[in-house]
Each structure stands twice: as C-alpha cells, then as structure tokens.
Amino acid sequence: MEFQIALLKGDGIGPEIVDSAVAVLEAVGRKFGHTFHFTPYLAGGCAIDATGVPLPDETVAGCKASDSVLLGAVGGPKWDTLPGNLRPERALLGVRSALGLYTNIRPAKLYPALKSECPLRGDIVDRGVDLVMIRELTGGIYFGERGRRTGKMGEEAYDTECYSVGEVERIARVAFETARKRSKKVTSIDKANVLESSRLWREVVHRVAAEYPDVACSDMLVDNAAMQLVKNPAQFDVVVTSNMFGDILSDESSQITGSIGLLPSASLGESKCGMYEPIHGSAPDIAGQNKANPIATVLSAAMMLRYSFDLEAEARCIEDAIDRVLADGLRTADIVGNTGVKPLSCTEMTDAILARIQ
Ligand code: NAD
C-alpha cells in the first residue's frame, strides 16, 4: 500500500525526533511492503521565521491533501513574546480545526522495565498503569468566547467554557468504542458540582452509556481524578474528559509512566486523516544536542499505522521493538535514572529500535 504523510517537524527537538520516526516508518515499509511518501511543511516558530505566520496556507493545504500528519513539536523562547494569535502554538490549533480533529487519544502505560522511573510508591507501581485518556480537542474553554473588559475592580479578562450535546456525544462514543476493545470501563471526568457545562457533559455521557450496556461507566470530579491518578492509577482504563481537564490530567498521567519522552498521541476526526505527535513540547533545553528521546514520536507513528492506515500488525511491530529496547536496558538520558547505564543519543536509540524491526 502507499500513503502520503505530511511532516510538520516544527521547532527545537522536533526535527530530530521526526527524523527518527521517519526512519522507523521506512523500515516498517520495507518489512511489510508499503511505501510512505513524506512531504515536509512549515509549522510553528520555523514557519513564523520563514513566512511571518505560524501556519502558512500551504501547510494547511498539504495536511488536507495527505493521508495523515506527523508532527514533532512547536514553540520555544524565541517566539514567547509574540501576541497570542501569532504564537507557534496557533499552528496546532489551526491544523486541528482545519482537519476537524475533535478527539485526542493519549495512552499512558508504565513499562515493566521502567518501574524504577515511576515516582509513585512501590505497591502502587506494582498494580500497574495502563490507561487511555480521551480528551475533547476542539471545544470548551480553549475555543470559547474570550476577551477583556472593564469590571468593578478594573480591567478583567474572561474565557468561556461551552459544550454542545453533539460535541459531548461524539467524544463519549469514541470513549465507549475504545473501552469495548479494552477492559470495558469508562471514567468520565467533569466538575458537575460547580459547572453547568459539566452537568450537560454528565447527562450526555449517561445517555450514550445506555447504548453500551456491556461497558461500565462512572463519573469522577476532576479534583478527585487528579488525586486518584497518583493514589491508585490502576483503577483507570479509558478516561474521557473535556479539552482543558484532559490537557492537565494527561500531563499528570504522563509523569506516572516515567518520562514525557515516552508518550504518543493521536488526534482524530471523522475522516481517516489524523495528526500524530508526541505529547511533549519542543524541549529547547536539549534541542540540537542529539539527546532527545525519540520513543514518543516513534510510538505516535505506530498509532498512525493503527488508526489512519488500519495496519495493526505493523503498529504492533513498532510497539514490540520499543518493548524490547526497554527490556534490553537501553535508555536515553531522560529515563536513565539511577541505573548507571550510559545513556544513548537520539540517533543511537533510533538505531536500536531499527535493529529490532529488521
Ligand atoms: P517540554 O515538553 O518541551 O519540556 C519539558 C521537559 O521535558 C524539558 O526538560 C525537556 O528537556 C524534557 N523533554 C521533553 N521532551 C523530551 C524528549 N523527547 N526527550 C527527553 N526529554 C524531553 O515542555 P516546555 O519546556 O514546557 O515547553 C517548551 C516549548 O514547547 C514551549 O515553547 C511550549 O509552548 C512548547 N510546547 C509545544 C507542544 C507541542 O508542540 N505539542 C506541547 C507542549 C509545549
């Protein structure tokens, strides 16, 4: 089979980690007889430098014309003082909107070989962590009405959280369908004791849950969820939540697994064309030093094979290679901990993964 992939390498470590994922995809293509065509486009700070805007029209058109999009990361101190609508992060929101990507899927799994990297107590770690966070991506407070005005105590600023029945229904369905392929358990996270938007969220999730009698569904308030994630993460399987709560809780769950450098994500909509990216940022502190952990981006490429191209065996092949690399004790600097192991560079880790694919 042949696939067109738009590459948005972005800024900081973005180019290094996307190059790793491209090498892995090419190896999988050779092994299984597929051809991946890669076309790079500008997005983020590099696009601002070259064109004056974070998401040039050509990039949007290129993404729309592709079968899928692989993104590294955008942003960095160089562009931090730009006004909101010109910041590198606008590129992410722009691609999500242009492709209608309303679902963000972030698996968080603690690898047995990395138990020592988990900051939680041993007995909690022994129960394991293997959850999928499903975050609504194109609604809520990040997209709601915002502004500044004069109030009783001077200038004030506001952002609005707003969800429609349709938006909650479609993300809830993604959660229940995902749960059907796992251990049939959904936890819906909201703040229904305070927020009207959360009360609507809860009502709609319950209505959708009635269509999935084989899946257990429970609600949890977001403040409790933040505690439960560190107290007893093994209780979670599929978690579904709003844009802002998902943003915060998925970063928390990433820390439980040891390093932000390990976790992939997929952003999906109605069509097969999704955007796949590591959950971390552009890591300006290690950019250009060949130190970045490429695993999160390589696993994002595996998610692309699974969700956009329906290539399950090929996705498993990449995930097995990562399992073996870690089980063999190979580590990049972010996951070396107190092992005393000499950390591998980004390219050395990539070569180790490639060696386990061929
Ligand atoms: P970050 O995720 O870039 O880095 C946080 C810490 O994790 C740093 O110490 C970094 O070195 C480390 N780290 C991150 N990825 C790593 C990897 N693959 N291997 C090894 N170590 C890794 O978060 P930040 O420092 O808050 O943000 C830096 C820039 O990235 C900012 O401009 C921010 O806006 C942007 N950002 C972009 C995205 C994205 O493109 N999706 C997401 C988050 C942040």
Side-chain angles (χ1 to χ4, degrees), residues 13 17 71-77 80 87-89 92 96 259-262 277-286 291-297 332-334:
I13 60 170
I17 53 180
L71 173 97
V74 296
D80 272 353
R87 286 180 59 109
E89 293 78 5
L92 303 179
R96 287 172 191 164
S259 172
I260 202 167
L262 293 169
E277 56 179 308
I279 74 156
H280 58 71
S282 59
D285 52 334
I286 56 166
K291 281 186 186 164
N293 187 345
I295 290 179
T297 317
T332 41
D334 56 312

Short mmCIF file of all heavy atoms in Angstrom, two decimals, residues 13 17 71-77 80 87-89 92 96 259-262 277-286 291-297 332-334, ligand 1:
data_model
loop_
_atom_site.label_atom_id
_atom_site.label_comp_id
_atom_site.label_asym_id
_atom_site.label_seq_id
_atom_site.Cartn_x
_atom_site.Cartn_y
_atom_site.Cartn_z
N ILE A 13 13.52 20.17 19.41
CA ILE A 13 13.88 18.77 19.10
C ILE A 13 12.99 18.18 18.01
O ILE A 13 13.20 17.03 17.60
CB ILE A 13 13.83 17.86 20.36
CG1 ILE A 13 12.41 17.84 20.97
CG2 ILE A 13 14.86 18.27 21.37
CD1 ILE A 13 12.22 16.79 22.06
N ILE A 17 13.40 14.22 16.33
CA ILE A 17 12.52 13.10 16.67
C ILE A 17 11.65 12.68 15.49
O ILE A 17 11.35 11.50 15.32
CB ILE A 17 11.66 13.43 17.92
CG1 ILE A 17 10.91 14.75 17.73
CG2 ILE A 17 12.52 13.44 19.17
CD1 ILE A 17 10.03 15.16 18.90
N LEU A 71 3.61 15.22 13.46
CA LEU A 71 4.13 16.48 13.99
C LEU A 71 5.19 16.21 15.05
O LEU A 71 5.03 15.29 15.86
CB LEU A 71 2.98 17.28 14.60
CG LEU A 71 3.38 18.55 15.33
CD1 LEU A 71 3.24 19.77 14.42
CD2 LEU A 71 2.56 18.79 16.58
N GLY A 72 6.26 17.02 15.04
CA GLY A 72 7.27 16.93 16.11
C GLY A 72 6.80 17.76 17.29
O GLY A 72 6.08 17.28 18.16
N ALA A 73 7.17 19.02 17.33
CA ALA A 73 6.71 19.93 18.39
C ALA A 73 6.96 21.35 17.91
O ALA A 73 7.83 21.57 17.07
CB ALA A 73 7.45 19.67 19.69
N VAL A 74 6.21 22.29 18.45
CA VAL A 74 6.40 23.69 18.05
C VAL A 74 6.64 24.56 19.28
O VAL A 74 6.26 24.21 20.38
CB VAL A 74 5.19 24.24 17.26
CG1 VAL A 74 5.00 23.50 15.95
CG2 VAL A 74 3.92 24.20 18.11
N GLY A 75 7.30 25.68 19.03
CA GLY A 75 7.49 26.68 20.09
C GLY A 75 8.91 26.75 20.61
O GLY A 75 9.75 25.90 20.30
N GLY A 76 9.13 27.77 21.42
CA GLY A 76 10.45 27.98 22.01
C GLY A 76 10.58 29.42 22.47
O GLY A 76 9.77 30.27 22.09
N PRO A 77 11.60 29.70 23.27
CA PRO A 77 11.73 31.03 23.87
C PRO A 77 11.80 32.16 22.84
O PRO A 77 11.33 33.27 23.10
CB PRO A 77 13.05 30.95 24.66
CG PRO A 77 13.59 29.59 24.49
CD PRO A 77 12.64 28.76 23.70
N ASP A 80 8.34 33.51 22.32
CA ASP A 80 7.47 33.61 23.51
C ASP A 80 6.80 34.96 23.69
O ASP A 80 5.77 35.06 24.36
CB ASP A 80 8.27 33.29 24.79
CG ASP A 80 8.26 31.80 25.08
OD1 ASP A 80 7.53 31.08 24.39
OD2 ASP A 80 8.99 31.37 25.99
N ARG A 87 1.51 33.19 17.88
CA ARG A 87 2.44 32.28 18.57
C ARG A 87 2.49 30.93 17.86
O ARG A 87 1.53 30.52 17.21
CB ARG A 87 2.01 32.09 20.02
CG ARG A 87 2.30 33.33 20.89
CD ARG A 87 1.85 33.07 22.28
NE ARG A 87 2.55 31.91 22.84
CZ ARG A 87 3.48 31.99 23.77
NH1 ARG A 87 3.82 33.13 24.27
NH2 ARG A 87 4.07 30.90 24.22
N PRO A 88 3.63 30.22 18.00
CA PRO A 88 3.77 28.93 17.31
C PRO A 88 2.63 27.96 17.60
O PRO A 88 2.19 27.21 16.72
CB PRO A 88 5.09 28.39 17.87
CG PRO A 88 5.85 29.59 18.33
CD PRO A 88 4.84 30.60 18.75
N GLU A 89 2.10 27.96 18.86
CA GLU A 89 1.05 27.01 19.24
C GLU A 89 -0.21 27.18 18.41
O GLU A 89 -1.02 26.25 18.31
CB GLU A 89 0.70 27.18 20.72
CG GLU A 89 1.81 26.78 21.70
CD GLU A 89 2.91 27.82 21.85
OE1 GLU A 89 2.80 28.93 21.27
OE2 GLU A 89 3.91 27.52 22.52
N LEU A 92 -0.88 24.41 15.96
CA LEU A 92 -1.54 23.16 16.39
C LEU A 92 -3.05 23.32 16.34
O LEU A 92 -3.77 22.47 15.80
CB LEU A 92 -1.14 22.81 17.82
CG LEU A 92 0.34 22.65 18.12
CD1 LEU A 92 0.54 22.34 19.59
CD2 LEU A 92 0.89 21.52 17.27
N ARG A 96 -5.70 21.30 13.88
CA ARG A 96 -6.83 20.56 14.49
C ARG A 96 -8.16 21.06 13.92
O ARG A 96 -9.02 20.26 13.57
CB ARG A 96 -6.83 20.76 16.02
CG ARG A 96 -5.73 20.00 16.71
CD ARG A 96 -5.66 20.40 18.18
NE ARG A 96 -4.45 19.87 18.80
CZ ARG A 96 -3.96 20.29 19.96
NH1 ARG A 96 -4.57 21.25 20.63
NH2 ARG A 96 -2.88 19.75 20.46
N SER A 259 8.60 9.24 31.97
CA SER A 259 9.09 10.38 31.20
C SER A 259 8.09 10.82 30.17
O SER A 259 7.44 9.99 29.51
CB SER A 259 10.40 10.04 30.48
OG SER A 259 10.74 11.09 29.60
N ILE A 260 8.03 12.11 29.99
CA ILE A 260 7.18 12.69 28.96
C ILE A 260 7.70 12.28 27.57
O ILE A 260 6.97 12.31 26.58
CB ILE A 260 7.17 14.22 29.15
CG1 ILE A 260 5.97 14.87 28.52
CG2 ILE A 260 8.46 14.87 28.70
CD1 ILE A 260 5.77 16.32 28.96
N GLY A 261 8.94 11.84 27.51
CA GLY A 261 9.56 11.45 26.23
C GLY A 261 9.10 10.10 25.71
O GLY A 261 9.57 9.63 24.68
N LEU A 262 8.16 9.45 26.44
CA LEU A 262 7.72 8.11 26.04
C LEU A 262 6.32 8.08 25.46
O LEU A 262 5.90 7.06 24.91
CB LEU A 262 7.71 7.19 27.27
CG LEU A 262 9.04 6.86 27.91
CD1 LEU A 262 8.81 6.19 29.26
CD2 LEU A 262 9.85 5.95 27.01
N GLU A 277 1.41 12.97 17.19
CA GLU A 277 2.51 13.77 17.76
C GLU A 277 2.84 13.28 19.16
O GLU A 277 1.98 12.74 19.87
CB GLU A 277 2.12 15.24 17.82
CG GLU A 277 0.84 15.45 18.60
CD GLU A 277 0.41 16.92 18.71
OE1 GLU A 277 1.24 17.75 19.10
OE2 GLU A 277 -0.77 17.20 18.41
N PRO A 278 4.10 13.46 19.58
CA PRO A 278 4.42 13.15 20.98
C PRO A 278 3.69 14.14 21.88
O PRO A 278 3.35 15.23 21.41
CB PRO A 278 5.94 13.38 21.04
CG PRO A 278 6.21 14.37 19.95
CD PRO A 278 5.23 14.06 18.87
N ILE A 279 3.49 13.78 23.14
CA ILE A 279 2.74 14.72 24.00
C ILE A 279 3.64 15.84 24.51
O ILE A 279 3.15 16.83 25.01
CB ILE A 279 2.03 14.03 25.18
CG1 ILE A 279 3.03 13.62 26.26
CG2 ILE A 279 1.21 12.85 24.73
CD1 ILE A 279 2.33 13.50 27.61
N HIS A 280 4.95 15.67 24.37
CA HIS A 280 5.85 16.70 24.92
C HIS A 280 6.00 17.88 23.96
O HIS A 280 5.53 17.84 22.83
CB HIS A 280 7.21 16.09 25.27
CG HIS A 280 7.90 15.45 24.10
ND1 HIS A 280 8.45 16.17 23.07
CD2 HIS A 280 8.10 14.14 23.79
CE1 HIS A 280 8.99 15.33 22.20
NE2 HIS A 280 8.77 14.09 22.61
N GLY A 281 6.70 18.91 24.44
CA GLY A 281 6.95 20.08 23.62
C GLY A 281 8.29 20.02 22.92
O GLY A 281 8.85 18.92 22.73
N SER A 282 8.81 21.18 22.55
CA SER A 282 9.99 21.24 21.70
C SER A 282 11.30 21.15 22.48
O SER A 282 12.38 21.21 21.88
CB SER A 282 9.96 22.54 20.90
OG SER A 282 9.92 23.64 21.79
N ALA A 283 11.21 21.02 23.81
CA ALA A 283 12.39 20.82 24.68
C ALA A 283 13.58 21.68 24.26
O ALA A 283 14.65 21.16 23.93
CB ALA A 283 12.77 19.34 24.71
N PRO A 284 13.43 23.01 24.30
CA PRO A 284 14.53 23.87 23.84
C PRO A 284 15.83 23.64 24.61
O PRO A 284 16.92 23.85 24.06
CB PRO A 284 14.01 25.30 24.09
CG PRO A 284 12.59 25.19 24.47
CD PRO A 284 12.26 23.77 24.77
N ASP A 285 15.70 23.16 25.88
CA ASP A 285 16.91 22.96 26.69
C ASP A 285 17.84 21.87 26.15
O ASP A 285 19.03 21.86 26.45
CB ASP A 285 16.53 22.66 28.16
CG ASP A 285 15.51 21.52 28.30
OD1 ASP A 285 14.74 21.28 27.36
OD2 ASP A 285 15.49 20.88 29.37
N ILE A 286 17.30 20.95 25.34
CA ILE A 286 18.17 19.89 24.79
C ILE A 286 18.16 19.88 23.26
O ILE A 286 18.71 18.96 22.64
CB ILE A 286 17.78 18.49 25.33
CG1 ILE A 286 16.29 18.19 25.05
CG2 ILE A 286 18.08 18.36 26.81
CD1 ILE A 286 15.94 16.71 25.24
N LYS A 291 20.06 14.53 22.12
CA LYS A 291 19.80 13.89 23.42
C LYS A 291 18.35 13.46 23.57
O LYS A 291 18.00 12.78 24.52
CB LYS A 291 20.07 14.89 24.55
CG LYS A 291 21.52 15.08 24.90
CD LYS A 291 21.57 15.99 26.13
CE LYS A 291 22.99 16.36 26.49
NZ LYS A 291 23.02 17.52 27.41
N ALA A 292 17.48 13.92 22.67
CA ALA A 292 16.04 13.71 22.86
C ALA A 292 15.68 12.23 22.77
O ALA A 292 16.30 11.46 22.03
CB ALA A 292 15.26 14.48 21.80
N ASN A 293 14.69 11.85 23.53
CA ASN A 293 14.14 10.50 23.46
C ASN A 293 13.16 10.46 22.27
O ASN A 293 12.15 11.17 22.28
CB ASN A 293 13.40 10.18 24.76
CG ASN A 293 12.94 8.75 24.83
OD1 ASN A 293 12.92 8.05 23.82
ND2 ASN A 293 12.56 8.31 26.01
N PRO A 294 13.44 9.63 21.27
CA PRO A 294 12.54 9.60 20.10
C PRO A 294 11.33 8.70 20.28
O PRO A 294 10.46 8.63 19.41
CB PRO A 294 13.45 9.04 19.00
CG PRO A 294 14.39 8.12 19.73
CD PRO A 294 14.59 8.71 21.11
N ILE A 295 11.22 7.98 21.43
CA ILE A 295 10.22 6.92 21.57
C ILE A 295 8.79 7.45 21.44
O ILE A 295 7.94 6.84 20.77
CB ILE A 295 10.42 6.13 22.89
CG1 ILE A 295 11.70 5.30 22.77
CG2 ILE A 295 9.23 5.24 23.20
CD1 ILE A 295 12.05 4.48 24.01
N ALA A 296 8.49 8.62 22.05
CA ALA A 296 7.11 9.14 21.98
C ALA A 296 6.70 9.39 20.53
O ALA A 296 5.55 9.12 20.15
CB ALA A 296 7.01 10.44 22.78
N THR A 297 7.62 9.88 19.73
CA THR A 297 7.29 10.18 18.33
C THR A 297 7.20 8.88 17.51
O THR A 297 6.32 8.74 16.66
CB THR A 297 8.34 11.13 17.72
OG1 THR A 297 8.62 12.15 18.67
CG2 THR A 297 7.85 11.76 16.44
N THR A 332 17.60 6.44 26.99
CA THR A 332 18.07 7.80 26.69
C THR A 332 18.20 8.54 28.03
O THR A 332 17.78 8.04 29.06
CB THR A 332 17.06 8.53 25.79
OG1 THR A 332 15.74 8.22 26.24
CG2 THR A 332 17.23 8.15 24.33
N ALA A 333 18.76 9.75 27.99
CA ALA A 333 19.11 10.44 29.24
C ALA A 333 17.90 10.67 30.16
O ALA A 333 18.03 10.61 31.38
CB ALA A 333 19.78 11.77 28.91
N ASP A 334 16.72 10.89 29.57
CA ASP A 334 15.54 11.20 30.39
C ASP A 334 15.04 10.00 31.20
O ASP A 334 14.30 10.17 32.16
CB ASP A 334 14.40 11.75 29.51
CG ASP A 334 14.05 10.78 28.39
OD1 ASP A 334 14.97 10.30 27.70
OD2 ASP A 334 12.86 10.49 28.20
P1 NAD B 1 8.68 20.34 27.00
O1 NAD B 1 7.80 19.15 26.92
O2 NAD B 1 9.25 20.84 25.73
O3 NAD B 1 9.89 20.02 28.00
C1 NAD B 1 9.70 19.72 29.38
C2 NAD B 1 10.93 18.95 29.89
O4 NAD B 1 10.89 17.62 29.35
C3 NAD B 1 12.26 19.55 29.44
O5 NAD B 1 13.21 19.39 30.46
C4 NAD B 1 12.65 18.72 28.25
O6 NAD B 1 14.05 18.63 28.03
C5 NAD B 1 12.06 17.36 28.61
N1 NAD B 1 11.67 16.62 27.40
C6 NAD B 1 10.59 16.86 26.62
N2 NAD B 1 10.57 16.00 25.59
C7 NAD B 1 11.64 15.20 25.73
C8 NAD B 1 12.16 14.13 24.98
N3 NAD B 1 11.58 13.66 23.86
N4 NAD B 1 13.31 13.54 25.41
C9 NAD B 1 13.92 13.96 26.53
N5 NAD B 1 13.48 14.98 27.29
C10 NAD B 1 12.35 15.59 26.88
O7 NAD B 1 7.83 21.48 27.73
P2 NAD B 1 8.18 23.01 27.99
O8 NAD B 1 9.63 23.16 28.33
O9 NAD B 1 7.17 23.49 28.90
O10 NAD B 1 7.92 23.72 26.58
C11 NAD B 1 8.93 24.04 25.63
C12 NAD B 1 8.28 24.63 24.40
O11 NAD B 1 7.44 23.64 23.78
C13 NAD B 1 7.35 25.82 24.71
O12 NAD B 1 7.53 26.77 23.69
C14 NAD B 1 5.97 25.22 24.66
O13 NAD B 1 5.00 26.17 24.29
C15 NAD B 1 6.13 24.18 23.57
N6 NAD B 1 5.17 23.07 23.63
C16 NAD B 1 4.79 22.56 22.45
C17 NAD B 1 3.94 21.47 22.41
C18 NAD B 1 3.59 20.88 21.10
O14 NAD B 1 4.18 21.24 20.09
N7 NAD B 1 2.63 19.98 21.02
C19 NAD B 1 3.49 20.90 23.61
C20 NAD B 1 3.93 21.43 24.82
C21 NAD B 1 4.78 22.52 24.82
#
